[in-house]
C-alpha cells in the first residue's frame, strides 16, 4: 500500500520492540516515596477535595484496589473497607441553580493521581456544575496491581452517572485519561455529551511515536528524564502499560469505517453522530510523547476542532495560565452546548 521495500539480508543492529512481551524495565522507588505520596494524597483529599471544594468519595476503599502493598493496612485503619468495586471517584454536588446542568467527568493521566491537578480541579469546580473526578490508582503510584478491563471500566462509569441521576456527561481528560475517554466514545457514545481532550494518546496509536517515545526512547533532555522516571519506570505503572493496557482497543479513528476497510482517503466532513462533533482537542506543540503536529493534521483534516498549544510540552498546560484559561473556556462552551440542546428539546 505504501510502496515500502526492505533491503535483503538481516541487520543485527535493529532490535524488535514488542510492547506487551518485552521485559518490564522498572526503576526502584524507596519506601519513603510511597509513604510520602500516601501522606500528601491523604492531606489533599481531606483539606481540598472534601473540606474546601465539597467533593465526596464513592466507589471502593477495598485493599489492593485504592492502595496496595504495605499501604493497605494503614488505609484500612484510617478509612475502613467497603464493598469491592473497581471504580474510585469523587463527586461534587452543584448549587441548586446548577442542578440541571450537564455534569463534567474529569479523568487524569499518569503520575500521582488527582493531586497533580489541584489547581485545574479547583477551576473546574468553580464552573458550578456537577463534577465527577475519577481516581485511577493503578497508574498513580499506589502500589496497585489490579486494573479493571475496558468493559468493566465503561460499565462502572455508566453506573456511576446513573446512580447520581445523569445519563451522560462532558468528558474532560488528559494524557492517559484520553484512553478511557476513547473507550467511552467507542463503547457508549450516547453517554458522551461532549469532550475536551488534552494531550491525547488515543489518536494515531498505530504509529510508532507514542509507544517508542514513552517506553523505549533513551532520554536526552531533563523533561524526558523526568517523564521516564516519574511516570514510565515506576514498577506498578510500568507493569500496567506493558502487561495490562489494551493498546489495540484504545486507538480511536475519526472515521472507523474507512480505517477498517483499509481506505487511505477519509472524508473531511465530520459525521453529525460522531462523539467528536461536540469536542475540542488540545495538543502540545512540543509534546515529547506523541507527534502532535501529525495528530493535529489528522484531526483537522477530518473536521475535528483541534488546537495546537504553541510552545508547550506534554502537560505544559498545568504550568501555563493562558492555555489553562482557554481550556476552561472551551469546557464551559462544550457543556453549555449540551445544556442548550436540552432546553431546545424541552421547548
Amino acid at each position: 500500500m505504501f510502496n515500502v521495500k526492505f533491503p535483503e539480508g538481516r541487520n543485527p543492529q535493529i532490535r524488535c520492540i514488542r510492547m506487551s512481551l518485552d521485559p518490564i524495565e522498572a526503576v526502584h522507588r524507596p519506601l519513603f516515596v510511597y509513604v510520602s505520596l500516601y501522606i500528601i494524597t491523604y492531606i489533599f483529599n481531606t483539606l481540598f477535595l472534601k473540606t474546601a471544594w465539597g467533593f465526596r468519595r464513592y466507589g471502593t476503599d477495598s485493599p489492593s484496589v485504592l492502595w496496595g502493598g504495605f499501604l493497605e493496612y494503614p488505609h484500612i485503619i484510617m478509612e475502613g473497607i467497603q464493598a469491592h468495586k473497581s471504580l474510585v471517584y469523587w463527586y461534587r454536588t452543584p448549587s441548586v441553580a446548577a442542578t440541571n446542568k450537564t455534569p463534567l467527568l474529569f479523568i487524569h493521566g499518569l503520575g500521582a493521581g488527582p493531586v497533580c491537578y489541584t489547581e485545574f480541579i479547583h477551576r473546574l469546580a468553580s464552573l458550578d456544575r456537577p463534577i465527577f473526578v475519577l481516581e485511577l490508582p493503578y497508574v498513580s503510584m499506589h502500589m496497585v496491581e489490579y486494573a479493571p478491563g475496558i468493559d468493566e471500566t465503561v460499565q462502572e462509569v455508566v453506573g456511576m452517572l446513573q446512580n447520581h441521576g445523569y445519563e451522560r456527561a462532558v468528558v474532560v481528560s488528559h494524557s492517559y485519561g484520553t484512553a478511557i475517554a476513547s473507550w467511552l466514545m467507542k463503547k457508549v457514545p450516547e453517554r458522551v455529551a461532549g469532550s475536551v481532550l488534552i494531550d491525547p494518546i488515543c489518536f494515531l496509536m498505530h504509529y510508532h511515536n507514542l509507544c517508542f517515545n514513552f517506553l523505549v526512547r533513551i532520554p536526552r533532555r531533563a523533561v524526558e528524564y523526568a517523564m521516564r522516571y516519574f511516570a514510565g519506570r515506576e514498577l506498578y505503572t510500568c507493569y500496567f502499560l506493558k502487561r495490562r493496557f489494551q493498546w489495540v482497543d484504545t486507538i480511536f479513528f475519526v472515521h472507523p469505517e474507512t480505517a477498517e476497510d483499509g481506505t487511505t482517503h477519509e472524508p473531511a466532513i465530520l459525521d453529525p453522530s460522531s462523539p467528536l462533533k461536540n469536542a475540542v482537542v488540545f495538543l502540545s506543540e512540543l509534546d515529547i510523547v506523541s507527534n502532535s503536529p501529525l495528530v493535529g493534521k489528522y484531526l483537522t483534516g477530518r473536521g475535528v476542532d483541534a488546537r495546537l498549544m504553541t510552545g508547550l510540552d506534554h502537560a505544559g498546560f498545568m504550568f501555563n495560565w493562558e492555555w489553562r484559561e482557554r481550556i476552561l473556556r472551551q469546557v464551559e462552551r462544550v457543556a453549555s452546548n449540551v445544556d442548550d440542546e436540552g432546553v431546545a428539546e424541552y421547548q
Side-chain angles (χ1 to χ4, degrees):
M1 182 185 297
F2 294 100
N3 196 30
V4 175
K5 293 181 173 55
F6 294 97
E8 295 183 3
R10 178 178 180 274
N11 185 351
Q13 301 299 320
I14 295 177
R15 191 184 78 176
C16 176
I17 299 172
R18 303 165 299 175
M19 301 308 300
S20 58
L21 296 175
D22 288 338
I24 297 174
E25 300 175 355
V27 177
H28 172 70
R29 302 291 192 278
L31 174 66
F32 172 77
V33 171
Y34 293 106
V35 173
S36 299
L37 179 60
Y38 183 88
I39 295 172
I40 292 170
T41 302
Y42 185 82
I43 294 173
F44 167 74
N45 291 348
T46 304
L47 294 185
F48 292 96
L49 286 178
K50 292 181 181 179
T51 305
W53 304 335
F55 281 86
R56 180 182 174 187
R57 187 170 63 200
Y58 294 83
T60 181
D61 282 317
S62 300
S64 300
V65 176
L66 184 56
W67 288 92
F70 68 92
L71 291 175
E72 291 180 16
Y73 305 106
H75 187 71
I76 291 172
I77 295 172
M78 298 177 71
E79 299 285 355
I81 300 178
Q82 298 179 8
H84 178 84
K85 291 183 179 179
S86 63
L87 190 70
V88 183
Y89 68 94
W90 295 84
Y91 173 66
R92 179 180 182 272
T93 306
S95 64
V96 176
T99 301
N100 294 324
K101 287 187 176 181
T102 305
L104 304 177
L105 168 58
F106 176 67
I107 313 175
H108 65 80
L110 302 180
V115 67
C116 296
Y117 301 83
T118 302
E119 199 273 341
F120 190 68
I121 294 175
H122 172 59
R123 296 298 304 279
L124 288 176
S126 68
L127 298 178
D128 193 23
R129 290 181 175 273
I131 300 179
F132 297 89
V133 176
L134 291 193
E135 189 168 359
L136 311 172
Y138 51 90
V139 291
S140 302
M141 295 192 289
H142 285 197
M143 302 182 71
V144 172
E145 286 187 38
Y146 174 76
I150 292 178
D151 291 334
E152 185 179 0
T153 300
V154 170
Q155 290 171 6
E156 293 210 10
V157 168
V158 172
M160 173 192 75
L161 294 175
Q162 293 178 334
N163 288 340
H164 293 275
Y166 303 104
E167 292 299 320
R168 54 184 185 159
V170 170
V171 180
V172 183
S173 54
H174 174 242
S175 190
Y176 170 74
T178 63
I180 297 181
S182 173
W183 303 345
L184 295 171
M185 290 189 294
K186 292 168 69 173
K187 298 284 186 177
V188 286
E190 69 279 2
R191 305 292 183 180
V192 181
S195 51
V196 175
L197 300 98
I198 311 165
D199 295 334
I201 65 166
C202 57
F203 301 111
L204 301 188
M205 292 182 71
H206 57 304
Y207 283 64
H208 73 279
N209 305 92
L210 177 67
C211 300
F212 180 83
N213 290 346
F214 191 74
L215 293 176
V216 180
R217 178 182 55 189
I218 299 175
R220 292 182 175 84
R221 298 185 294 156
V223 65
E224 294 174 0
Y225 277 102
M227 180 75 70
R228 182 185 179 92
Y229 180 79
F230 290 105
R233 287 295 185 266
E234 195 272 331
L235 175 60
Y236 294 86
T237 302
C238 192
Y239 165 75
F240 170 76
L241 294 174
K242 287 288 190 75
R243 296 295 183 266
R244 301 298 304 276
F245 184 49
Q246 296 90 343
W247 293 87
V248 174
D249 295 327
T250 299
I251 186 171
F252 190 90
F253 292 105
V254 178
H255 298 289
E257 66 282 353
T258 58
E260 290 173 359
D261 65 17
T263 305
T264 57
H265 299 286
E266 299 181 5
I269 300 175
L270 193 61
D271 191 314
S273 63
S274 171
L276 291 176
K277 189 65 177 179
N278 185 31
V280 183
V281 180
F282 287 92
L283 303 161
S284 296
E285 181 185 26
L286 307 177
D287 199 327
I288 63 172
V289 176
S290 66
N291 188 334
S292 290
L294 183 64
V295 174
K297 181 179 179 181
Y298 167 75
L299 294 175
T300 54
R302 288 151 182 81
V304 179
D305 186 354
R307 308 183 183 195
L308 201 64
M309 297 186 287
T310 54
L312 296 191
D313 210 326
H314 194 84
F317 79 99
M318 292 193 288
F319 309 99
N320 186 291
W321 180 267
E322 180 182 352
W323 276 108
R324 231 172 23 253
E325 283 291 322
R326 294 186 187 183
I327 292 171
L328 289 164
R329 285 199 298 268
Q330 291 305 313
V331 169
E332 179 60 28
R333 183 186 67 82
V334 169
S336 297
N337 289 342
V338 186
D339 296 339
D340 295 341
E341 290 176 4
V343 172
E345 290 176 2
Y346 176 78
Q347 291 176 342

